[in-house]
């Protein structure tokens, strides 16, 4: 069975994140999701930094299941927002796009994983424009992106595969970091003994 293909605008709405001001005198605080926060498939609260937060309308606040996508430079990064787990409101920075999927048609983790995959990178590669040496996604073309949509139960299975893959990659990354730390410590120790 082949999946149906639908334009992104038929299954979701896309908006640009607001410009997060740098002025510390702004009333109120919020958490801001930037491009560097989009490392894993799911965005967690520990990686987000408080930022000044003006009285933005509710439409700017992230909601559970929305997808944050990097709008600048390659590779495209996409992560699913896990809900209002913080006491502060959460917004996506203006270097990000926010996709609000119709969850009766497309599962958020499936769509985010698809966009993060090699297949998704090929899909969006032609959507970049270059402006002052920065590659930006053309939002109009992004809205017209043809998304493969298998049945929801198949999307759920694929989403689980994306999550398992992410967990595997995270575990390997931790092992590599530990191995590099041990190598550096061993080298420092050997060089220190050699100097004595």
């Amino acid at each position: 069975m082949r999946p149906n293909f639908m334009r992104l605008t038929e299954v979701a709405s896309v908006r640009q994140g607001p410009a997060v001001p740098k002025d510390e005198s702004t009333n109120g605080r919020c958490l801001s999701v930037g491009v560097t926060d989009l490392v894993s498939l799911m965005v967690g609260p520990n990686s987000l930094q408080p930022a000044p937060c003006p009285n933005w309308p509710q439409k700017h606040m992230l909601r559970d299941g929305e997808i944050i996508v990097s709008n600048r430079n390659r590779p495209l990064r996409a992560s699913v927002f896990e809900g209002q787990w913080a006491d502060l409101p959460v917004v996506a920075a203006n270097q990000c796009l926010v996709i609000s999927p119709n969850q009766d048609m497309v599962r958020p983790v499936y769509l985010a994983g698809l966009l993060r995959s090699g297949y998704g990178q090929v899909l969006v590669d032609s959507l970049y424009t270059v402006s002052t040496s920065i590659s930006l996604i053309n939002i109009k073309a992004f809205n017209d992106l043809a998304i493969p949509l298998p049945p929801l139960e198949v999307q759920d299975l694929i989403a689980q595969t994306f999550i398992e893959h992410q967990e595997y990659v995270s575990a390997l990354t931790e092992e590599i970091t530990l191995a590099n730390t041990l190598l550096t410590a061993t080298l420092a120790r050997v060089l220190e003994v050699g100097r004595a």
Side-chain angles (χ1 to χ4, degrees):
M1 173 176 52
R2 300 184 67 143
N4 292 327
F5 281 78
M6 296 184 81
R7 288 179 31 225
L8 184 58
T9 54
E10 295 176 295
V11 297
S13 63
V14 179
R15 69 182 188 272
Q16 178 91 34
V20 176
K22 304 238 185 282
D23 180 7
E24 291 295 329
S25 67
T26 308
N27 288 335
R29 310 271 307 157
C30 66
L31 295 174
S32 176
V33 180
V35 172
T36 56
D37 299 312
L38 305 179
V39 176
S40 68
L41 186 57
M42 310 299 279
V43 174
N46 297 333
S47 64
L48 305 182
Q49 297 298 316
C53 185
N55 295 322
W56 279 317
Q58 192 63 30
K59 68 178 182 178
H60 289 305
M61 304 306 162
L62 289 173
R63 292 178 294 283
D64 187 42
E66 289 188 314
I67 302 162
I68 305 104
V69 177
S70 57
N71 187 27
R72 296 185 184 186
N73 299 324
R74 295 172 175 93
L76 178 134
R77 297 179 184 185
S79 298
V80 177
F81 179 63
E82 294 186 284
Q84 293 298 110
W85 24 245
D87 294 334
L88 296 171
V90 182
V91 296
N94 67 339
Q95 305 95 349
C96 299
L97 301 176
V98 179
I99 302 172
S100 300
N102 176 342
Q103 295 191 36
D104 292 332
M105 298 179 79
V106 62
R107 300 292 196 229
V109 174
Y110 165 76
L111 183 53
L114 178 75
L115 292 171
R116 290 174 70 99
S117 71
Y119 175 82
Q121 298 295 322
V122 170
L123 279 179
V124 299
D125 193 56
S126 65
L127 307 182
Y128 287 93
T129 59
V130 178
S131 171
T132 62
S133 76
I134 296 173
S135 298
L136 299 171
I137 290 179
N138 179 312
I139 297 175
K140 183 179 182 314
F142 188 67
N143 275 314
D144 287 335
L145 191 66
I147 303 293
L149 288 179
L152 292 176
E153 57 273 8
V154 175
Q155 289 183 39
D156 289 336
L157 290 171
I158 295 170
Q160 185 58 41
T161 302
F162 285 139
I163 290 169
E164 289 168 3
H165 177 263
Q166 180 66 51
E167 290 169 353
Y168 180 67
V169 168
S170 296
L172 287 178
T173 302
E174 284 180 29
E175 284 185 38
I176 290 168
T177 301
L178 178 59
N180 284 336
T181 302
L182 290 173
L183 177 64
T184 301
T186 302
L187 183 59
R189 197 167 188 202
V190 167
L191 292 175
E192 190 174 293
V193 168
R195 254 191 291 171

